[in-house]
Amino acid sequence: METSLHVPASREELTELRAGDYVYITGTIYTARDAAHKRLYESLTQGEDIPISLDGTFLYYLGPTPAREGRVIGSAGPTTSSRMDKYTPLLLRKGLAGMIGKGKRSEEVRRTIVEQQAVYFAAVGGAGALLSKCITSAEVVAYEDLGTEAIRKLTVERLPVIVIIDSQGNNLYESAVQGYLAKHSGDN
């Protein structure tokens, strides 16, 4: 299925998405990679305020390259999501609704996605230059000292992603393999 999603999105909208759906995201999302996740996590576990609201927020696991002249951002391809897994359950419990990255997630992250009715999306790795064309504005809003890993507020227009883990816990990486094996089990 192909659908458009305006973010922030309601949990009801997110529960309608299924693993394998093609989604075009429009609205406001934030970037955060390893170092930013670590700071967010440490602040939350120490009872401190964090610089962005996680309520209904989508985080894109992205560390962009410098913007070329006339562009708002450089290459904007996703980074490996599993590097954020140790921080993700807490962020989900604090309101994070969606994550965009690439690669597999831990079982604990999958369980917390279901518990919190969130969604994990994949963006196409290696297509960062094309993905950057969907970003109409970008500004550093926190942790500027982290350079490319600073948290940025992005405005996106029809950012193409695929639902990998839906709010019911269905995982495209697993179901695609199972479907392939079932279809080709007699090919030997």
Side-chain angles (χ1 to χ4, degrees):
M1 185 174 130
E2 184 178 300
T3 189
S4 294
L5 182 67
H6 289 269
V7 290
S10 70
R11 298 292 172 165
E12 292 77 26
E13 289 174 290
L14 296 179
T15 61
E16 294 175 13
L17 299 174
R18 294 292 173 261
D21 286 354
Y22 291 93
V23 179
Y24 292 93
I25 296 175
T26 297
T28 300
I29 63 176
Y30 293 86
T31 67
R33 284 184 49 165
D34 316 44
H37 271 73
K38 184 175 189 241
R39 283 198 190 167
L40 291 169
Y41 182 87
E42 289 171 349
S43 293
L44 289 169
T45 57
Q46 294 170 11
E48 299 171 355
D49 290 336
I50 58 173
I52 61 171
S53 170
L54 291 176
D55 192 33
T57 298
F58 279 33
L59 291 179
Y60 186 7
Y61 304 149
L62 162 69
T65 62
R68 293 165 122 171
E69 189 174 328
R71 303 287 309 157
V72 298
I73 199 166
S75 183
T79 196
T80 303
S81 302
S82 62
R83 296 193 334 234
M84 273 52 78
D85 281 1
K86 61 185 166 190
Y87 311 115
T88 299
L90 177 61
L91 299 181
L92 286 165
R93 289 186 181 105
K94 294 293 185 179
L96 181 63
M99 299 146 292
I100 305 165
K102 67 178 181 181
K104 295 182 179 184
R105 303 308 300 266
S106 70
E107 180 57 27
E108 182 182 8
V109 169
R110 189 198 66 77
R111 281 193 310 269
T112 312
I113 286 170
V114 173
E115 171 190 303
Q116 299 301 315
Q117 299 293 278
V119 177
Y120 169 54
F121 301 93
V124 177
L130 294 173
L131 293 170
S132 71
K133 294 179 180 183
C134 300
I135 300 169
T136 59
S137 72
E139 67 174 301
V140 173
V141 294
Y143 310 145
E144 187 171 1
D145 62 302
L146 296 178
T148 61
E149 290 205 29
I151 295 177
R152 287 172 172 73
K153 179 180 179 181
L154 305 180
T155 303
V156 297
E157 184 71 36
R158 293 188 51 80
L159 180 72
V161 295
I162 301 168
V163 176
I164 300 299
I165 303 175
D166 63 31
S167 62
Q168 273 78 80
N170 300 307
N171 185 330
L172 181 62
Y173 292 143
E174 294 170 0
S175 62
V177 169
Q178 292 167 354
Y180 177 84
L181 291 174
K183 184 176 179 180
H184 298 285
S185 64
D187 289 352
N188 293 340

